[in-house]
Amino acid sequence: MALGFIDAEQVQGVIDSTPYPDELLRIWVEKERNALRREGGALEVRDYFTAEVSEFVPHAARGAAVWFLAHLAHFIGTSFTQCVELLDLYIERAAGSPQLLEQLPETTVAIASIVFKFRNTSTLQSFDHAFGQAERGLAQWLEQYGHIQAAGERQARCICDDSGSKEAVERKVMQVLRWQVDLPSVEMWMQAYAHRLDIVSQNLLGDCLEVIMEQGAILAAEVMNHVAVHEIWPQRLARGLICQGLHAAGALHVDLERFSADLPGGVPLSDGLLPASSWWGKVPQCMLPEQFREGMLELLMVALGADRGRLEQDLVLSSIAVRVKRC
């Protein structure tokens, strides 16, 4: 099969010999679908981002937990976006529990600990003080703003002060998550897609792709501060951000005006919905041969494993998500 100016079968053979073959991506897709799929089928574009960020806890309470998670994940050197994915998944699966908010501080630090242990072989003991500060700080914030009653003894003693209590909470969190903690994060998806795109573009994107990866990771983290993982799955956010970055770099042009009717609230695309250069900073402009510029969408379809319609929709959804976080 010839794909414009590249041989799709030859490219596929090269991709499948890399660390990110189609088979691995299919495994990731299945993990993500099994963890995040909801009843009722897929949403239309117009249905996204029209409700509260989280249906199960107050928006501000989730935001506070995510804020503490960001600082804790940075301090212990683990994936912030994967922590947020598991936090949102836990909140949904523990919905209806009368103790959900009361236990949010200890749940938050337990999730950071679980992600760290899954990704590292080193001990967490040296970080106990940081975990304790995060748990107490979040409990005090939730109490101050009336989300939970007085924390009482929790302010003087937290689960991080006792290894047995900490492990018990982690086991409980793992049980609620149904042991589904090995989920691909946005960064993992972006890294896989960037590697595959670098191959199919014959390494012509170079520094441009590196900057897209760096800035895309920043935007992904900022988006997840405000948008729950169920509203835009990590794979779709990663695909959309890659497309956004290429759009900002002048390497991808897609006519998205026909999507205007699908946007929530009737927001016109002209009102800053499309990826603005200010969102991406100084992305090097990609100086590509004409055949690559004209065939970029075909290259993306191969590298990102999606048809044109899905790529366009993911670009729109991720643009809305970035706009939400900017508002």
Side-chain angles (χ1 to χ4, degrees):
M1 169 186 172
L3 186 65
F5 56 93
I6 62 175
D7 187 309
E9 292 183 2
Q10 182 179 3
V11 170
Q12 192 64 59
V14 175
I15 285 179
D16 285 341
S17 66
T18 71
Y20 302 104
D22 282 0
E23 182 61 31
L24 175 63
L25 267 57
R26 281 192 287 268
I27 292 172
W28 286 4
V29 167
E30 191 64 22
K31 286 182 177 181
E32 192 169 275
R33 182 183 295 119
N34 288 339
L36 301 177
R37 180 172 46 201
R38 286 179 167 181
E39 298 296 330
L43 298 178
E44 297 295 332
V45 175
R46 64 173 60 86
D47 296 324
Y48 283 85
F49 316 118
T50 56
E52 285 290 330
V53 170
S54 175
E55 306 167 33
F56 311 108
V57 299
H59 175 87
R62 176 193 180 272
V66 169
W67 187 89
F68 279 98
L69 259 183
H71 288 268
L72 188 55
H74 175 75
F75 186 78
I76 67 176
T78 197
S79 170
F80 163 67
T81 58
Q82 190 167 27
C83 287
V84 177
E85 289 172 29
L86 295 185
L87 177 66
D88 284 338
L89 184 59
Y90 178 91
I91 289 173
E92 184 201 31
R93 291 185 174 175
S97 168
Q99 301 299 315
L100 178 57
L101 268 175
E102 293 287 340
Q103 295 173 351
L104 190 58
E106 62 191 48
T107 299
T108 299
V109 298
I111 286 173
S113 176
I114 290 168
V115 173
F116 179 91
K117 290 177 179 178
F118 191 81
R119 287 172 164 252
N120 301 272
T121 57
S122 54
T123 178
L124 271 171
Q125 189 172 2
S126 59
F127 298 123
D128 279 350
H129 180 66
F131 277 92
Q133 282 189 319
E135 184 181 347
R136 293 186 183 95
L138 179 54
Q140 290 168 0
W141 189 95
L142 293 172
E143 178 189 347
Q144 179 180 352
Y145 288 93
H147 295 290
I148 63 175
Q149 296 181 352
E153 293 183 0
R154 186 188 321 187
Q155 293 183 356
R157 182 175 182 80
C158 64
I159 62 168
C160 298
D161 297 327
D162 179 70
S163 59
S165 298
K166 185 170 180 289
E167 291 175 359
V169 172
E170 289 177 13
R171 282 196 301 271
K172 176 187 173 185
V173 169
M174 294 278 281
Q175 289 169 351
V176 172
L177 293 173
R178 301 169 197 162
W179 308 96
Q180 292 175 311
V181 298
D182 182 21
L183 299 180
S185 65
V186 179
E187 295 102 324
M188 291 169 63
W189 280 113
M190 289 189 67
Q191 183 177 2
Y193 287 147
H195 187 87
R196 289 161 61 98
L197 182 57
D198 197 38
I199 291 173
V200 300
S201 65
Q202 300 179 15
N203 308 113
L204 287 176
L205 295 173
D207 294 340
C208 171
L209 191 56
E210 184 176 338
V211 174
I212 289 172
M213 283 289 294
E214 293 174 356
Q215 185 61 20
I218 294 172
L219 284 172
E222 292 184 2
V223 164
M224 294 187 73
N225 272 284
H226 302 276
V227 178
V229 69
H230 293 92
E231 296 215 70
I232 181 166
W233 292 7
Q235 182 194 26
R236 303 197 68 179
L237 179 57
R239 269 200 308 239
L241 288 172
I242 292 284
C243 292
Q244 279 192 40
L246 291 171
H247 179 91
L252 176 66
H253 174 73
V254 180
D255 181 11
L256 296 173
E257 289 300 327
R258 57 197 174 87
F259 280 92
S260 297
D262 286 332
L263 301 179
V267 179
L269 288 169
S270 58
D271 284 357
L273 182 61
L274 283 180
S277 58
S278 59
W279 298 358
W280 282 86
K282 295 182 179 179
V283 178
Q285 295 299 290
C286 296
M287 306 302 292
L288 299 175
E290 183 177 353
Q291 61 176 0
F292 277 89
R293 289 200 306 272
E294 294 177 352
M296 181 55 68
L297 193 57
E298 292 178 273
L299 292 175
L300 284 172
M301 289 166 61
V302 174
L304 276 58
D307 59 26
R308 177 182 181 133
R310 177 52 62 92
L311 289 178
E312 291 174 341
Q313 189 176 70
D314 289 348
L315 175 52
V316 171
L317 288 176
S318 64
S319 298
I320 299 171
V322 173
R323 188 175 187 273
V324 166
K325 77 95 183 168
R326 291 289 178 182
C327 295

